[in-house]
Amino acid sequence: MTLGSVPSKFKVSIDRDQCMDCGRCIENCSYGVYRREGDKILIESRKCTGCLRCVAMCPRDAITLTEKPIDYRSHPLWTREVREDIIKQARSGKIILSGMGNARDLPVVYDRLLLDACQVTNPSIDPLREPMELRTYIGKKPSKLNFRKTESGDVELETKLAPNLKLNTPIMIGHMSFGAISLNAQLSMAKAVTELGTYMGTGEGGLHRDLYPYQDHMVVQVASGRFGVNIDYLERGAAIEIKIGQGAKPGIGGHLPGEKVNEEVSRTRMIPVGSDAISPAPHHDIYSIEDLVQLIRSLKEATEWKKPVFVKIAAVHNVAPIAAGIARSSADAVVIDGFRGGTGAAPKVFRDNVGIPIEVAIASVDQKLREQGVRNEISIIASGGIRSSADLAKSIALGADAVNIGTAALVALGCRVCGNCYRNLCPWGIATQRPELVSRLDPERGAVQVSNLIKGWTYELSELMGAAGINSIESLRGNRDRLRGYMLDEEMLKILDVLPAGA
Ligand code: SF4
Ligand code: SF4
Protein backbone atom coordinates (compact mmCIF):
# COMPACT_ATOMS: atom_id res chain seq x y z
CA MET A 1 0.00 0.00 0.00
CA THR A 2 1.54 3.30 -1.04
CA LEU A 3 1.18 6.51 0.98
CA GLY A 4 -2.36 7.84 0.70
CA SER A 5 -3.91 4.78 -0.91
CA VAL A 6 -6.99 3.38 0.78
CA PRO A 7 -6.81 -0.29 1.72
CA SER A 8 -9.17 -2.49 -0.24
CA LYS A 9 -12.39 -3.68 1.39
CA PHE A 10 -12.91 -6.71 -0.82
CA LYS A 11 -10.85 -9.30 -2.58
CA VAL A 12 -12.32 -10.27 -5.95
CA SER A 13 -11.23 -13.45 -7.64
CA ILE A 14 -12.26 -15.37 -10.76
CA ASP A 15 -12.10 -19.13 -10.95
CA ARG A 16 -10.33 -19.30 -14.29
CA ASP A 17 -11.37 -22.95 -14.82
CA GLN A 18 -15.03 -21.92 -14.64
CA CYS A 19 -14.76 -18.63 -16.53
CA MET A 20 -15.98 -18.73 -20.17
CA ASP A 21 -14.54 -15.29 -20.94
CA CYS A 22 -17.95 -13.78 -21.81
CA GLY A 23 -17.00 -10.34 -20.47
CA ARG A 24 -20.25 -9.75 -18.57
CA CYS A 25 -18.35 -8.79 -15.43
CA ILE A 26 -16.58 -6.04 -17.41
CA GLU A 27 -19.88 -4.78 -18.87
CA ASN A 28 -21.76 -4.91 -15.58
CA CYS A 29 -19.25 -3.37 -13.20
CA SER A 30 -19.78 0.39 -13.22
CA TYR A 31 -16.88 0.90 -10.81
CA GLY A 32 -14.27 -0.39 -13.27
CA VAL A 33 -13.04 -3.37 -11.26
CA TYR A 34 -12.56 -5.51 -14.38
CA ARG A 35 -10.69 -4.74 -17.57
CA ARG A 36 -9.46 -6.76 -20.48
CA GLU A 37 -5.80 -6.85 -21.32
CA GLY A 38 -5.00 -9.11 -24.26
CA ASP A 39 -6.87 -12.33 -23.67
CA LYS A 40 -6.97 -11.87 -19.90
CA ILE A 41 -9.53 -10.25 -17.61
CA LEU A 42 -7.64 -8.29 -14.98
CA ILE A 43 -9.13 -7.40 -11.59
CA GLU A 44 -8.59 -4.26 -9.50
CA SER A 45 -10.04 -5.33 -6.15
CA ARG A 46 -9.38 -1.92 -4.58
CA LYS A 47 -12.19 -0.38 -6.68
CA CYS A 48 -14.78 -2.95 -5.58
CA THR A 49 -17.69 -1.61 -3.49
CA GLY A 50 -19.32 -4.98 -2.82
CA CYS A 51 -22.35 -4.18 -5.01
CA LEU A 52 -22.28 -7.84 -6.16
CA ARG A 53 -23.59 -7.06 -9.63
CA CYS A 54 -20.80 -9.10 -11.24
CA VAL A 55 -21.49 -12.10 -8.99
CA ALA A 56 -25.20 -11.99 -9.90
CA MET A 57 -24.52 -11.61 -13.63
CA CYS A 58 -21.71 -14.15 -14.09
CA PRO A 59 -23.26 -17.08 -15.96
CA ARG A 60 -20.70 -19.53 -14.57
CA ASP A 61 -20.68 -18.54 -10.87
CA ALA A 62 -16.98 -18.00 -11.38
CA ILE A 63 -16.60 -14.86 -9.25
CA THR A 64 -15.91 -14.88 -5.51
CA LEU A 65 -15.87 -11.81 -3.30
CA THR A 66 -14.22 -11.96 0.10
CA GLU A 67 -14.84 -9.19 2.59
CA LYS A 68 -12.01 -7.36 4.35
CA PRO A 69 -8.75 -8.94 3.30
CA ILE A 70 -6.03 -8.03 5.81
CA ASP A 71 -4.22 -5.05 4.34
CA TYR A 72 -2.65 -4.19 7.67
CA ARG A 73 -2.63 -5.71 11.12
CA SER A 74 -5.71 -5.54 13.31
CA HIS A 75 -5.98 -3.37 16.45
CA PRO A 76 -8.88 -3.06 18.91
CA LEU A 77 -8.77 0.75 19.09
CA TRP A 78 -7.28 1.78 15.75
CA THR A 79 -9.71 -0.37 13.86
CA ARG A 80 -9.60 -0.91 10.15
CA GLU A 81 -12.44 1.57 9.66
CA VAL A 82 -10.85 4.29 11.78
CA ARG A 83 -7.59 4.01 9.90
CA GLU A 84 -9.32 3.85 6.56
CA ASP A 85 -11.16 7.11 7.29
CA ILE A 86 -7.94 8.81 8.39
CA ILE A 87 -6.18 7.70 5.23
CA LYS A 88 -9.08 8.98 3.09
CA GLN A 89 -9.13 12.36 4.81
CA ALA A 90 -5.35 12.70 4.81
CA ARG A 91 -5.59 12.31 1.08
CA SER A 92 -8.65 14.46 0.35
CA GLY A 93 -8.97 16.97 3.19
CA LYS A 94 -12.74 16.62 2.81
CA ILE A 95 -15.79 15.39 4.70
CA ILE A 96 -16.28 11.65 4.14
CA LEU A 97 -19.58 10.96 2.41
CA SER A 98 -21.54 7.74 2.78
CA GLY A 99 -24.75 6.22 1.53
CA MET A 100 -27.33 3.96 3.23
CA GLY A 101 -27.87 3.77 7.00
CA ASN A 102 -25.70 3.75 10.12
CA ALA A 103 -23.07 1.06 9.65
CA ARG A 104 -21.89 0.80 13.28
CA ASP A 105 -22.26 -2.50 15.04
CA LEU A 106 -24.55 -1.16 17.77
CA PRO A 107 -27.23 -3.28 19.48
CA VAL A 108 -30.61 -3.02 17.74
CA VAL A 109 -33.40 -2.51 20.28
CA TYR A 110 -35.94 -4.26 18.01
CA ASP A 111 -33.88 -7.44 18.35
CA ARG A 112 -34.16 -7.23 22.13
CA LEU A 113 -37.93 -6.87 22.16
CA LEU A 114 -40.10 -9.99 22.03
CA LEU A 115 -43.75 -10.21 21.02
CA ASP A 116 -46.42 -12.04 23.00
CA ALA A 117 -48.62 -14.97 21.89
CA CYS A 118 -51.78 -16.54 23.34
CA GLN A 119 -51.74 -19.94 25.06
CA VAL A 120 -54.65 -21.92 26.61
CA THR A 121 -56.54 -19.25 28.53
CA ASN A 122 -56.74 -16.59 25.83
CA PRO A 123 -57.39 -18.01 22.36
CA SER A 124 -55.38 -16.89 19.39
CA ILE A 125 -57.08 -15.86 16.12
CA ASP A 126 -56.53 -17.57 12.80
CA PRO A 127 -56.15 -14.84 10.15
CA LEU A 128 -56.94 -17.36 7.39
CA ARG A 129 -60.40 -17.92 8.84
CA GLU A 130 -61.25 -14.66 10.55
CA PRO A 131 -61.08 -11.11 9.24
CA MET A 132 -58.13 -9.00 10.40
CA GLU A 133 -58.50 -5.22 10.31
CA LEU A 134 -55.26 -3.68 9.13
CA ARG A 135 -56.74 -0.52 7.63
CA THR A 136 -54.95 2.48 9.05
CA TYR A 137 -56.00 6.11 8.91
CA ILE A 138 -53.27 8.73 9.06
CA GLY A 139 -54.37 12.11 10.33
CA LYS A 140 -56.23 13.80 13.15
CA LYS A 141 -58.95 11.79 14.89
CA PRO A 142 -61.83 13.46 16.74
CA SER A 143 -61.84 12.87 20.51
CA LYS A 144 -65.59 12.38 20.28
CA LEU A 145 -68.23 12.32 17.58
CA ASN A 146 -71.32 14.51 17.65
CA PHE A 147 -74.42 13.59 15.70
CA ARG A 148 -77.56 15.55 14.94
CA LYS A 149 -81.03 14.69 13.76
CA THR A 150 -82.06 16.10 10.43
CA GLU A 151 -85.56 17.42 9.74
CA SER A 152 -86.38 14.13 8.03
CA GLY A 153 -85.48 12.29 11.23
CA ASP A 154 -82.20 10.84 9.95
CA VAL A 155 -79.10 10.97 12.09
CA GLU A 156 -76.04 12.58 10.56
CA LEU A 157 -72.51 13.27 11.68
CA GLU A 158 -72.05 16.79 12.98
CA THR A 159 -68.32 16.59 13.79
CA LYS A 160 -66.16 17.85 10.96
CA LEU A 161 -63.55 15.22 10.20
CA ALA A 162 -60.01 16.22 9.26
CA PRO A 163 -58.64 14.76 6.01
CA ASN A 164 -56.96 11.38 6.61
CA LEU A 165 -54.99 9.06 4.37
CA LYS A 166 -56.49 5.59 4.22
CA LEU A 167 -53.86 2.83 4.13
CA ASN A 168 -54.79 -0.81 3.46
CA THR A 169 -51.64 -1.82 5.32
CA PRO A 170 -49.64 0.22 7.84
CA ILE A 171 -46.59 0.17 5.57
CA MET A 172 -45.68 3.16 3.41
CA ILE A 173 -42.54 3.89 1.44
CA GLY A 174 -40.54 6.86 2.67
CA HIS A 175 -39.14 9.77 0.72
CA MET A 176 -36.40 8.99 -1.79
CA SER A 177 -36.16 11.78 -4.32
CA PHE A 178 -35.91 11.67 -8.09
CA GLY A 179 -32.29 12.62 -8.51
CA ALA A 180 -31.10 10.62 -5.55
CA ILE A 181 -32.75 7.56 -7.10
CA SER A 182 -33.74 6.85 -10.68
CA LEU A 183 -37.14 7.36 -12.25
CA ASN A 184 -37.38 3.60 -12.82
CA ALA A 185 -36.88 3.03 -9.07
CA GLN A 186 -39.58 5.60 -8.25
CA LEU A 187 -41.92 4.14 -10.88
CA SER A 188 -41.47 0.63 -9.47
CA MET A 189 -42.47 1.78 -6.01
CA ALA A 190 -45.30 4.02 -7.25
CA LYS A 191 -46.89 1.12 -9.12
CA ALA A 192 -46.56 -1.10 -6.05
CA VAL A 193 -48.15 1.34 -3.57
CA THR A 194 -50.98 2.12 -5.99
CA GLU A 195 -51.78 -1.56 -6.40
CA LEU A 196 -51.69 -2.15 -2.63
CA GLY A 197 -53.60 0.93 -1.52
CA THR A 198 -50.80 2.60 0.37
CA TYR A 199 -48.48 5.58 -0.22
CA MET A 200 -44.94 6.64 -1.01
CA GLY A 201 -43.04 9.90 -0.72
CA THR A 202 -41.60 11.96 -3.56
CA GLY A 203 -38.60 13.13 -1.56
CA GLU A 204 -37.53 16.72 -2.08
CA GLY A 205 -36.99 16.30 -5.80
CA GLY A 206 -40.40 17.28 -7.16
CA LEU A 207 -42.84 14.99 -8.95
CA HIS A 208 -41.79 13.73 -12.38
CA ARG A 209 -44.62 13.85 -14.91
CA ASP A 210 -44.38 10.07 -15.47
CA LEU A 211 -45.54 9.71 -11.86
CA TYR A 212 -48.71 11.76 -12.37
CA PRO A 213 -50.82 8.60 -12.91
CA TYR A 214 -49.85 7.55 -9.37
CA GLN A 215 -50.22 10.96 -7.72
CA ASP A 216 -53.16 9.87 -5.57
CA HIS A 217 -50.69 7.60 -3.77
CA MET A 218 -47.86 10.09 -3.46
CA VAL A 219 -46.96 12.25 -0.46
CA VAL A 220 -45.25 15.35 -1.85
CA GLN A 221 -42.39 16.76 0.16
CA VAL A 222 -41.53 20.36 0.95
CA ALA A 223 -37.96 20.53 2.21
CA SER A 224 -35.64 23.41 3.00
CA GLY A 225 -34.43 23.76 -0.62
CA ARG A 226 -38.06 23.90 -1.88
CA PHE A 227 -36.93 22.01 -5.01
CA GLY A 228 -39.80 21.25 -7.37
CA VAL A 229 -42.35 22.95 -5.12
CA ASN A 230 -45.15 24.92 -6.77
CA ILE A 231 -48.91 24.92 -6.46
CA ASP A 232 -49.34 22.25 -9.15
CA TYR A 233 -47.02 19.93 -7.20
CA LEU A 234 -48.86 20.53 -3.93
CA GLU A 235 -52.23 19.94 -5.53
CA ARG A 236 -51.17 16.68 -7.11
CA GLY A 237 -50.08 15.00 -3.85
CA ALA A 238 -52.42 13.01 -1.63
CA ALA A 239 -50.69 14.59 1.37
CA ILE A 240 -47.87 17.06 1.96
CA GLU A 241 -44.81 16.47 4.12
CA ILE A 242 -42.62 19.24 5.49
CA LYS A 243 -39.18 17.76 5.99
CA ILE A 244 -37.33 19.34 8.87
CA GLY A 245 -34.82 16.59 9.51
CA GLN A 246 -33.64 13.18 8.39
CA GLY A 247 -32.45 10.34 10.61
CA ALA A 248 -29.25 9.73 8.65
CA LYS A 249 -28.11 13.33 9.02
CA PRO A 250 -29.96 15.26 11.74
CA GLY A 251 -29.27 18.96 11.85
CA ILE A 252 -27.92 19.33 8.33
CA GLY A 253 -29.42 19.79 4.88
CA GLY A 254 -29.21 17.70 1.74
CA HIS A 255 -26.79 17.56 -1.15
CA LEU A 256 -27.47 16.13 -4.59
CA PRO A 257 -24.23 16.20 -6.59
CA GLY A 258 -24.40 18.11 -9.89
CA GLU A 259 -23.49 15.04 -11.91
CA LYS A 260 -26.85 13.54 -10.96
CA VAL A 261 -28.72 16.63 -12.18
CA ASN A 262 -29.49 15.77 -15.81
CA GLU A 263 -32.21 17.34 -18.03
CA GLU A 264 -35.06 15.40 -16.41
CA VAL A 265 -33.91 15.99 -12.84
CA SER A 266 -33.33 19.65 -13.66
CA ARG A 267 -36.88 20.05 -15.04
CA THR A 268 -38.49 18.25 -12.12
CA ARG A 269 -36.49 20.03 -9.43
CA MET A 270 -36.56 23.36 -11.24
CA ILE A 271 -32.78 23.87 -11.02
CA PRO A 272 -30.09 24.23 -13.73
CA VAL A 273 -28.60 21.09 -15.30
CA GLY A 274 -25.35 20.01 -13.64
CA SER A 275 -25.74 22.28 -10.59
CA ASP A 276 -25.40 20.82 -7.10
CA ALA A 277 -28.79 20.83 -5.34
CA ILE A 278 -27.96 21.93 -1.82
CA SER A 279 -30.77 22.15 0.72
CA PRO A 280 -29.93 24.41 3.64
CA ALA A 281 -29.79 22.95 7.16
CA PRO A 282 -32.80 24.95 8.45
CA HIS A 283 -35.88 26.14 6.64
CA HIS A 284 -35.16 29.85 6.46
CA ASP A 285 -38.75 30.61 7.39
CA ILE A 286 -38.97 28.26 10.38
CA TYR A 287 -37.26 29.11 13.65
CA SER A 288 -40.06 28.22 16.07
CA ILE A 289 -43.24 26.15 16.40
CA GLU A 290 -45.16 29.35 15.56
CA ASP A 291 -43.27 29.60 12.24
CA LEU A 292 -44.03 25.94 11.58
CA VAL A 293 -47.73 26.61 12.23
CA GLN A 294 -47.64 29.35 9.61
CA LEU A 295 -46.10 27.10 6.96
CA ILE A 296 -48.52 24.25 7.72
CA ARG A 297 -51.49 26.57 7.51
CA SER A 298 -50.20 28.17 4.32
CA LEU A 299 -49.88 24.75 2.70
CA LYS A 300 -53.35 23.78 3.91
CA GLU A 301 -54.81 27.05 2.70
CA ALA A 302 -53.14 26.63 -0.69
CA THR A 303 -54.72 23.19 -1.05
CA GLU A 304 -58.13 24.19 0.37
CA TRP A 305 -57.67 22.28 3.62
CA LYS A 306 -58.19 19.02 1.73
CA LYS A 307 -54.84 17.38 2.36
CA PRO A 308 -53.18 16.17 5.55
CA VAL A 309 -49.83 17.82 6.27
CA PHE A 310 -47.05 15.78 7.87
CA VAL A 311 -43.91 17.05 9.55
CA LYS A 312 -40.81 14.87 9.36
CA ILE A 313 -38.12 15.18 12.01
CA ALA A 314 -35.02 13.20 12.86
CA ALA A 315 -35.10 11.27 16.13
CA VAL A 316 -32.89 13.38 18.39
CA HIS A 317 -32.46 13.60 22.17
CA ASN A 318 -35.50 15.76 22.89
CA VAL A 319 -37.71 14.26 20.21
CA ALA A 320 -40.74 13.86 22.52
CA PRO A 321 -41.27 17.55 23.42
CA ILE A 322 -40.56 18.52 19.81
CA ALA A 323 -43.24 16.08 18.62
CA ALA A 324 -45.65 17.44 21.23
CA GLY A 325 -45.10 20.93 19.80
CA ILE A 326 -45.72 19.58 16.30
CA ALA A 327 -48.94 17.94 17.53
CA ARG A 328 -50.15 21.41 18.51
CA SER A 329 -49.03 23.01 15.27
CA SER A 330 -52.00 21.76 13.22
CA ALA A 331 -49.89 19.06 11.57
CA ASP A 332 -51.74 15.81 10.93
CA ALA A 333 -48.84 13.40 11.34
CA VAL A 334 -45.32 13.46 12.68
CA VAL A 335 -42.82 11.32 10.81
CA ILE A 336 -39.93 10.32 13.05
CA ASP A 337 -36.78 9.08 11.37
CA GLY A 338 -34.40 7.11 13.57
CA PHE A 339 -30.61 7.17 13.47
CA ARG A 340 -30.41 4.01 11.37
CA GLY A 341 -32.33 5.75 8.57
CA GLY A 342 -30.96 5.47 5.06
CA THR A 343 -29.64 8.20 2.81
CA GLY A 344 -28.32 8.74 -0.68
CA ALA A 345 -25.47 10.82 0.69
CA ALA A 346 -24.61 11.94 4.21
CA PRO A 347 -21.42 12.85 6.01
CA LYS A 348 -20.35 9.53 7.53
CA VAL A 349 -19.70 11.17 10.91
CA PHE A 350 -23.38 12.21 11.07
CA ARG A 351 -24.75 8.96 9.70
CA ASP A 352 -22.92 6.93 12.31
CA ASN A 353 -22.99 9.19 15.39
CA VAL A 354 -25.92 11.61 15.50
CA GLY A 355 -29.49 10.89 16.63
CA ILE A 356 -31.20 8.12 18.57
CA PRO A 357 -32.77 4.75 17.68
CA ILE A 358 -36.31 4.86 16.31
CA GLU A 359 -37.57 2.32 18.88
CA VAL A 360 -36.95 4.63 21.84
CA ALA A 361 -38.15 7.66 19.88
CA ILE A 362 -41.52 6.02 19.13
CA ALA A 363 -42.02 5.02 22.76
CA SER A 364 -41.10 8.39 24.21
CA VAL A 365 -43.14 10.36 21.65
CA ASP A 366 -46.24 8.18 22.06
CA GLN A 367 -45.92 8.48 25.85
CA LYS A 368 -45.51 12.26 25.78
CA LEU A 369 -48.47 12.77 23.42
CA ARG A 370 -50.67 10.62 25.65
CA GLU A 371 -49.56 12.45 28.82
CA GLN A 372 -50.40 15.75 27.18
CA GLY A 373 -53.76 14.50 25.88
CA VAL A 374 -52.91 15.21 22.23
CA ARG A 375 -52.35 11.69 20.89
CA ASN A 376 -55.53 11.92 18.77
CA GLU A 377 -54.34 15.19 17.30
CA ILE A 378 -51.61 13.53 15.31
CA SER A 379 -50.51 10.20 13.82
CA ILE A 380 -47.01 8.82 14.34
CA ILE A 381 -45.18 7.42 11.32
CA ALA A 382 -41.91 5.69 12.23
CA SER A 383 -38.95 5.13 9.95
CA GLY A 384 -35.25 4.49 10.05
CA GLY A 385 -34.15 0.88 9.89
CA ILE A 386 -37.42 -1.06 9.66
CA ARG A 387 -36.14 -4.38 8.30
CA SER A 388 -38.98 -6.89 8.71
CA SER A 389 -42.60 -7.48 9.68
CA ALA A 390 -41.37 -8.06 13.24
CA ASP A 391 -39.87 -4.54 13.36
CA LEU A 392 -43.18 -3.28 11.96
CA ALA A 393 -45.28 -5.08 14.60
CA LYS A 394 -42.96 -3.91 17.40
CA SER A 395 -43.08 -0.32 16.11
CA ILE A 396 -46.88 -0.35 16.26
CA ALA A 397 -46.91 -1.97 19.69
CA LEU A 398 -44.55 0.77 20.87
CA GLY A 399 -47.00 3.42 19.64
CA ALA A 400 -46.56 4.08 15.90
CA ASP A 401 -49.58 4.26 13.59
CA ALA A 402 -47.60 3.19 10.52
CA VAL A 403 -44.05 2.86 9.27
CA ASN A 404 -42.13 4.17 6.30
CA ILE A 405 -39.71 1.76 4.71
CA GLY A 406 -36.81 2.85 2.51
CA THR A 407 -33.80 0.58 2.34
CA ALA A 408 -36.00 -2.53 2.50
CA ALA A 409 -37.83 -1.37 -0.64
CA LEU A 410 -34.52 -0.72 -2.39
CA VAL A 411 -33.24 -4.16 -1.42
CA ALA A 412 -36.40 -5.59 -2.99
CA LEU A 413 -35.36 -3.72 -6.15
CA GLY A 414 -31.90 -5.30 -6.15
CA CYS A 415 -29.87 -2.95 -3.92
CA ARG A 416 -27.00 -4.75 -2.17
CA VAL A 417 -26.46 -2.02 0.46
CA CYS A 418 -22.99 -1.21 -0.84
CA GLY A 419 -23.33 2.37 0.44
CA ASN A 420 -22.11 4.10 -2.73
CA CYS A 421 -25.38 5.78 -3.75
CA TYR A 422 -23.82 9.26 -3.91
CA ARG A 423 -21.46 8.25 -6.76
CA ASN A 424 -24.13 8.05 -9.50
CA LEU A 425 -22.75 4.63 -10.47
CA CYS A 426 -25.31 2.29 -8.88
CA PRO A 427 -24.97 -0.84 -11.00
CA TRP A 428 -28.51 -1.93 -10.13
CA GLY A 429 -30.05 1.14 -11.79
CA ILE A 430 -31.42 2.49 -8.49
CA ALA A 431 -29.26 5.36 -7.17
CA THR A 432 -28.08 6.66 -10.52
CA GLN A 433 -29.21 8.88 -13.39
CA ARG A 434 -26.95 7.31 -16.04
CA PRO A 435 -29.35 6.05 -18.73
CA GLU A 436 -27.32 2.88 -19.42
CA LEU A 437 -27.52 1.95 -15.71
CA VAL A 438 -31.12 3.13 -15.12
CA SER A 439 -32.30 0.87 -17.96
CA ARG A 440 -31.09 -2.15 -15.98
CA LEU A 441 -34.09 -1.73 -13.67
CA ASP A 442 -37.41 -2.74 -15.21
CA PRO A 443 -40.21 -0.83 -13.40
CA GLU A 444 -42.76 -3.60 -14.07
CA ARG A 445 -40.54 -6.26 -12.54
CA GLY A 446 -39.49 -3.87 -9.78
CA ALA A 447 -43.12 -3.15 -8.89
CA VAL A 448 -43.81 -6.86 -8.46
CA GLN A 449 -40.81 -7.24 -6.16
CA VAL A 450 -41.78 -4.28 -3.96
CA SER A 451 -45.42 -5.26 -3.91
CA ASN A 452 -44.52 -8.83 -2.92
CA LEU A 453 -42.39 -7.56 -0.07
CA ILE A 454 -45.17 -5.37 1.34
CA LYS A 455 -47.73 -8.17 0.89
CA GLY A 456 -45.46 -10.66 2.64
CA TRP A 457 -44.93 -8.33 5.60
CA THR A 458 -48.66 -7.62 5.75
CA TYR A 459 -49.48 -11.36 5.92
CA GLU A 460 -46.86 -11.82 8.61
CA LEU A 461 -48.24 -8.88 10.57
CA SER A 462 -51.71 -10.51 10.47
CA GLU A 463 -50.21 -13.77 11.73
CA LEU A 464 -48.33 -12.05 14.56
CA MET A 465 -51.47 -10.17 15.58
CA GLY A 466 -53.60 -13.30 15.36
CA ALA A 467 -51.14 -15.21 17.52
CA ALA A 468 -51.49 -12.47 20.12
CA GLY A 469 -55.30 -12.68 19.93
CA ILE A 470 -55.57 -9.27 18.30
CA ASN A 471 -57.73 -8.78 15.21
CA SER A 472 -57.43 -5.05 14.72
CA ILE A 473 -54.38 -2.88 14.25
CA GLU A 474 -56.02 -0.34 16.58
CA SER A 475 -55.69 -2.83 19.42
CA LEU A 476 -52.00 -3.38 18.75
CA ARG A 477 -51.14 0.32 18.62
CA GLY A 478 -49.31 1.38 21.77
CA ASN A 479 -50.08 -1.99 23.38
CA ARG A 480 -46.71 -2.34 25.08
CA ASP A 481 -48.04 -4.97 27.40
CA ARG A 482 -47.64 -7.36 24.45
CA LEU A 483 -43.90 -6.67 24.35
CA ARG A 484 -41.15 -7.88 26.66
CA GLY A 485 -37.56 -6.69 26.83
CA TYR A 486 -34.73 -9.21 26.62
CA MET A 487 -31.20 -8.22 27.61
CA LEU A 488 -32.19 -4.56 27.92
CA ASP A 489 -31.12 -2.59 30.98
CA GLU A 490 -33.57 -1.16 33.50
CA GLU A 491 -33.31 2.41 32.25
CA MET A 492 -34.03 1.37 28.67
CA LEU A 493 -37.02 -0.72 29.78
CA LYS A 494 -38.32 2.30 31.66
CA ILE A 495 -38.08 4.54 28.60
CA LEU A 496 -39.72 1.90 26.42
CA ASP A 497 -42.29 1.28 29.16
CA VAL A 498 -41.87 -2.45 28.61
CA LEU A 499 -41.54 -5.20 31.21
CA PRO A 500 -38.56 -7.55 31.16
CA ALA A 501 -38.98 -11.05 29.71
CA GLY A 502 -40.43 -13.37 32.37
CA ALA A 503 -42.35 -10.60 34.16
S1 SF4 B 1 -18.84 -12.76 -16.04
FE1 SF4 B 1 -18.03 -14.66 -15.13
S2 SF4 B 1 -17.77 -16.03 -16.90
FE2 SF4 B 1 -18.04 -13.98 -17.77
S3 SF4 B 1 -15.92 -13.22 -17.98
FE3 SF4 B 1 -16.61 -12.50 -15.97
S4 SF4 B 1 -15.94 -14.11 -14.54
FE4 SF4 B 1 -15.82 -14.99 -16.62
S1 SF4 C 1 -28.87 1.78 -4.18
FE1 SF4 C 1 -27.19 1.02 -5.48
S2 SF4 C 1 -25.40 2.28 -4.90
FE2 SF4 C 1 -26.94 2.52 -3.28
S3 SF4 C 1 -26.41 0.95 -1.76
FE3 SF4 C 1 -27.92 0.04 -3.14
S4 SF4 C 1 -26.71 -1.03 -4.70
FE4 SF4 C 1 -25.32 0.39 -3.67
Side-chain angles (χ1 to χ4, degrees):
M1 191 178 71
T2 56
L3 183 67
S5 76
V6 179
S8 46
K9 279 200 170 85
F10 303 96
K11 170 102 183 97
V12 185
S13 50
I14 297 179
D15 179 342
R16 305 282 170 177
D17 292 335
Q18 283 295 320
C19 175
M20 61 191 248
D21 204 24
C22 66
R24 281 193 206 169
C25 45
I26 304 173
E27 281 162 32
N28 272 281
C29 181
S30 47
Y31 298 107
V33 171
Y34 304 91
R35 70 174 196 280
R36 194 178 284 285
E37 228 175 74
D39 58 355
K40 264 200 112 177
I41 293 176
L42 298 186
I43 301 168
E44 231 179 312
S45 287
R46 205 169 290 280
K47 289 184 175 170
C48 178
T49 64
C51 77
L52 293 163
R53 178 84 187 179
C54 57
V55 174
M57 292 297 150
C58 173
R60 300 294 289 269
D61 289 336
I63 301 172
T64 308
L65 229 87
T66 324
E67 205 174 354
K68 297 184 181 172
I70 297 177
D71 259 17
Y72 40 85
R73 65 180 286 265
S74 62
H75 190 284
L77 178 66
W78 295 94
T79 61
R80 172 195 173 88
E81 197 189 346
V82 166
R83 276 181 285 176
E84 196 178 296
D85 288 352
I86 291 173
I87 292 167
K88 272 189 197 159
Q89 289 189 301
R91 197 176 52 173
S92 71
K94 291 185 177 161
I95 287 171
I96 299 174
L97 284 183
S98 242
M100 305 315 279
N102 191 313
R104 288 178 68 197
D105 189 14
L106 299 171
V108 178
V109 179
Y110 283 128
D111 294 340
R112 297 178 181 210
L113 286 171
L114 302 170
L115 289 155
D116 193 16
C118 300
Q119 299 294 301
V120 184
T121 53
N122 47 351
S124 50
I125 298 167
D126 184 347
L128 294 176
R129 291 180 176 78
E130 293 180 52
M132 303 294 286
E133 187 53 270
L134 294 182
R135 244 174 316 175
T136 301
Y137 290 88
I138 300 293
K140 292 179 189 302
K141 314 287 182 304
S143 305
K144 62 174 188 152
L145 293 174
N146 292 326
F147 296 89
R148 68 164 170 243
K149 260 198 171 162
T150 63
E151 279 174 17
S152 60
D154 292 338
V155 176
E156 66 176 25
L157 185 64
E158 195 177 40
T159 311
K160 204 167 165 356
L161 298 177
N164 271 231
L165 286 191
K166 182 180 131 192
L167 279 55
N168 287 340
T169 173
I171 307 167
M172 295 192 280
I173 299 179
H175 289 254
M176 293 175 275
S177 66
F178 174 49
I181 62 170
S182 66
L183 183 59
N184 282 359
Q186 279 201 330
L187 271 171
S188 305
M189 295 187 277
K191 286 170 190 280
V193 294
T194 304
E195 179 209 328
L196 297 171
T198 181
Y199 296 82
M200 70 174 271
T202 56
E204 62 169 320
L207 184 69
H208 190 281
R209 59 188 180 285
D210 288 3
L211 291 165
Y212 290 173
Y214 312 99
Q215 65 190 30
D216 292 346
H217 292 269
M218 307 290 294
V219 178
V220 296
Q221 193 175 65
V222 175
S224 59
R226 303 287 200 266
F227 300 122
V229 177
N230 58 21
I231 187 63
D232 178 63
Y233 171 70
L234 297 175
E235 279 173 350
R236 285 184 187 277
I240 302 167
E241 176 177 297
I242 300 170
K243 176 190 165 191
I244 303 285
Q246 185 178 342
K249 41 185 171 179
I252 61 169
H255 179 190
L256 182 71
E259 65 194 68
K260 278 186 150 184
V261 183
N262 61 17
E263 290 279 348
E264 289 292 297
V265 174
S266 135
R267 191 174 311 121
T268 312
R269 288 202 176 215
M270 304 189 300
I271 55 170
V273 174
S275 64
D276 284 12
I278 298 175
S279 325
H283 285 246
H284 287 309
D285 50 358
I286 303 178
Y287 289 93
S288 64
I289 291 288
E290 290 73 22
D291 292 342
L292 179 65
V293 173
Q294 285 211 357
L295 180 59
I296 294 171
R297 289 181 173 242
S298 307
L299 293 170
K300 288 191 173 194
E301 192 65 39
T303 51
E304 297 173 355
W305 297 79
K306 287 183 184 153
K307 297 174 198 290
V309 174
F310 306 167
V311 177
K312 176 180 177 182
I313 53 170
V316 287
H317 301 184
N318 53 348
V319 65
I322 296 168
I326 292 170
R328 291 188 166 79
S329 71
S330 51
D332 300 274
V334 58
V335 183
I336 310 165
D337 199 21
F339 86 145
R340 289 190 304 270
T343 175
K348 187 163 173 272
V349 67
F350 275 76
R351 189 197 69 173
D352 294 351
N353 296 284
V354 184
I356 63 169
I358 188 60
E359 304 89 322
V360 286
I362 301 169
S364 57
V365 167
D366 180 59
Q367 191 65 31
K368 178 69 84 187
L369 297 182
R370 284 176 199 276
E371 278 166 18
Q372 298 196 359
V374 288
R375 184 64 183 86
N376 277 350
E377 283 296 308
I378 199 157
S379 295
I380 299 174
I381 302 166
S383 63
I386 312 283
R387 305 156 301 170
S388 65
S389 59
D391 290 355
L392 161 68
K394 291 170 191 177
S395 301
I396 294 175
L398 285 170
D401 291 82
V403 301
N404 270 346
I405 60 168
T407 305
L410 298 189
V411 171
L413 289 175
C415 162
R416 303 299 166 102
V417 197
C418 72
N420 281 265
C421 315
Y422 58 96
R423 292 175 61 185
N424 199 23
L425 287 171
C426 174
W428 296 94
I430 301 168
T432 178
Q433 301 305 323
R434 293 191 175 206
E436 73 282 9
L437 297 177
V438 174
S439 63
R440 292 179 179 181
L441 178 60
D442 171 11
E444 296 302 329
R445 177 91 186 96
V448 173
Q449 296 279 117
V450 175
S451 164
N452 281 345
L453 174 75
I454 297 177
K455 277 185 203 160
W457 283 18
T458 305
Y459 291 139
E460 286 180 349
L461 176 64
S462 300
E463 293 284 348
L464 288 169
M465 284 167 50
I470 293 172
N471 63 1
S472 148
I473 198 86
E474 292 281 334
S475 307
L476 180 65
R477 186 172 312 124
N479 193 343
R480 298 181 210 175
D481 190 38
R482 309 313 293 271
L483 290 171
R484 288 291 184 271
Y486 180 61
M487 295 175 74
L488 287 172
D489 64 38
E490 224 173 286
E491 277 303 306
M492 181 59 82
L493 289 168
K494 212 162 102 188
I495 292 165
L496 294 169
D497 190 21
V498 165
L499 291 170

